[in-house]
Amino acid sequence: MSYKWLKWLILWIPTVTIGLWEYIRHAVLLPYVSMELGNILAPALVFVVTLTLLRGLFAKLEQTQDSLHRERVAKAAFEEREQLARELHDGISQSLFMLSVKLDRLERETADPKALATAEEIKTTVRRVYDDVRQQVESLHHTPLPAMQPWLQSIHHLTAEMEQASGIQSSVDWKLNEDVLSPKQKVELLAIMREALMNVQKHARAERVVVRGGQLPLSAGSAGDEAAFYCQIEDDGIGASSNGLDKQGTYGLKMMRARADAMRWSLDVSPAYSHGMIVTIRGKGATK
């Protein structure tokens, strides 16, 4: 039922109810129901109709308003992301491209081996930063995952994006209840997971990724009404140390650490049992 029809029904049902009551009262019940009793029964009838019919309509109206509000918020967020993506592409991305062109020209015009080596190092860094910017622009072009979206659906959305872009197979073992995290925590955790999957896609040379999540026992870091949780992203790629990832010139791991620190979570990058890497996020959920 549309929002417009809900409003009209809420407006007309009490009016029609009173009109029908007065017609039946004067046409049929007048010999049996006194004027005083009829005046008492009229508001009582409207009250009963309100409880039985209008309450449900009001609930649907509130749901419709909430849905419209979420759509407006999502649209505004997407428009902001599109604007930011355009600014990144037209500003930083273009500047990095021009810097790379000028470094190519410098290499052609100089014969100093040390200058050539330095120029090559700068070019490598510029290429990595350029790739990171392009990846962030591509990420901004995707519709943001809403915190209200079913949790498991959000996880599968992330892994499906990675599979489509890289062909890396994925599986999800998610046992974390949706009510453990607040909407803000869900958004931040999804952002960290997206960065981790991007790092796997860019650097790991992996064939498979496993995403796990669950609730930790109370003794593992939960206090009071706060539930502790963990999230892991494990790949079967070539592996690297945490320090090695930091030295690769990418900002993915730094961004993940910054987001985790802001939420007072821990983020650990360690070798997998056989080969590959495991990114583990641990922390406290929402206070209930």
Side-chain angles (χ1 to χ4, degrees):
M1 189 179 297
S2 68
Y3 182 73
K4 181 178 178 181
W5 274 107
L6 283 172
K7 291 194 299 182
W8 278 112
L9 284 174
I10 291 172
L11 176 65
W12 280 105
I13 283 177
T15 305
V16 173
T17 300
I18 288 294
L20 286 174
W21 164 249
E22 291 297 329
Y23 174 78
I24 295 172
R25 174 184 168 188
H26 288 86
V28 180
L29 300 177
L30 191 59
Y32 312 103
V33 178
S34 66
M35 187 66 67
E36 291 78 8
L37 180 59
N39 292 337
I40 295 173
L41 290 176
L45 180 62
V46 172
F47 180 71
V48 170
V49 170
T50 301
L51 286 179
T52 55
L53 293 178
L54 293 187
R55 187 172 63 174
L57 291 176
F58 274 120
K60 289 184 178 180
L61 182 64
E62 290 176 356
Q63 292 174 0
T64 304
Q65 288 177 329
D66 289 341
S67 177
L68 291 173
H69 176 69
R70 287 196 296 268
E71 289 179 5
R72 285 194 293 267
V73 170
K75 182 180 179 180
F78 185 69
E79 289 175 352
E80 289 180 1
R81 291 164 67 93
E82 284 286 324
Q83 178 64 27
L84 180 57
R86 285 193 295 270
E87 292 175 358
L88 283 173
H89 180 269
D90 296 339
I92 299 175
S93 182
Q94 294 294 341
S95 298
L96 289 171
F97 176 75
M98 292 304 300
L99 180 58
S100 179
V101 171
K102 291 180 180 179
L103 285 169
D104 287 337
R105 185 184 304 168
L106 177 63
E107 285 185 332
R108 290 194 299 268
E109 294 176 353
T110 184
D112 187 349
K114 291 184 178 180
L116 289 174
T118 302
E120 183 60 33
E121 291 177 1
I122 296 174
K123 280 181 62 178
T124 301
T125 302
V126 168
R127 281 194 295 266
R128 288 172 178 169
V129 175
Y130 181 69
D131 288 341
D132 285 335
V133 171
R134 285 185 59 190
Q135 199 165 64
Q136 294 304 318
V137 169
E138 179 66 22
S139 175
L140 287 168
H141 281 308
H142 291 290
T143 303
L145 294 172
M148 293 74 69
Q149 186 176 346
W151 188 241
L152 192 57
Q153 185 178 343
S154 301
I155 307 300
H156 284 296
H157 185 94
L158 287 179
T159 56
E161 278 186 349
M162 180 194 65
E163 289 187 1
Q164 185 177 8
S166 64
I168 300 174
Q169 298 300 307
S170 65
S171 61
V172 178
D173 180 16
W174 201 259
K175 300 174 182 177
L176 182 62
N177 293 330
E178 292 198 25
D179 58 355
V180 170
L181 301 178
S182 69
K184 177 176 175 57
Q185 289 175 327
K186 289 179 182 180
V187 170
E188 293 299 324
L189 183 57
L190 285 169
I192 294 173
M193 294 169 67
R194 183 189 289 276
E195 288 294 340
L197 292 174
M198 282 185 176
N199 278 344
V200 171
Q201 183 178 328
K202 290 168 59 178
H203 305 296
R205 304 181 203 168
E207 296 181 358
R208 189 169 185 81
V209 173
V210 181
V211 178
R212 304 184 185 92
Q215 191 165 335
L216 295 169
L218 293 177
S219 59
S222 179
D225 292 331
E226 295 174 322
F229 74 93
Y230 73 92
C231 171
Q232 288 184 330
I233 299 94
E234 179 179 355
D235 67 78
D236 62 353
I238 58 176
S241 66
S242 177
N243 292 334
L245 286 174
D246 280 324
K247 293 177 181 178
Q248 285 181 359
T250 63
Y251 297 97
L253 183 59
K254 295 176 183 177
M255 294 174 64
M256 289 157 56
R257 291 195 189 281
R259 287 182 179 275
D261 290 343
M263 302 303 297
R264 297 184 179 179
W265 297 338
S266 67
L267 188 144
D268 178 65
V269 181
S270 57
Y273 296 111
S274 54
H275 52 87
M277 298 295 297
I278 301 179
V279 176
T280 304
I281 305 103
R282 295 186 182 89
K284 293 179 181 179
T287 302
K288 300 174 184 172

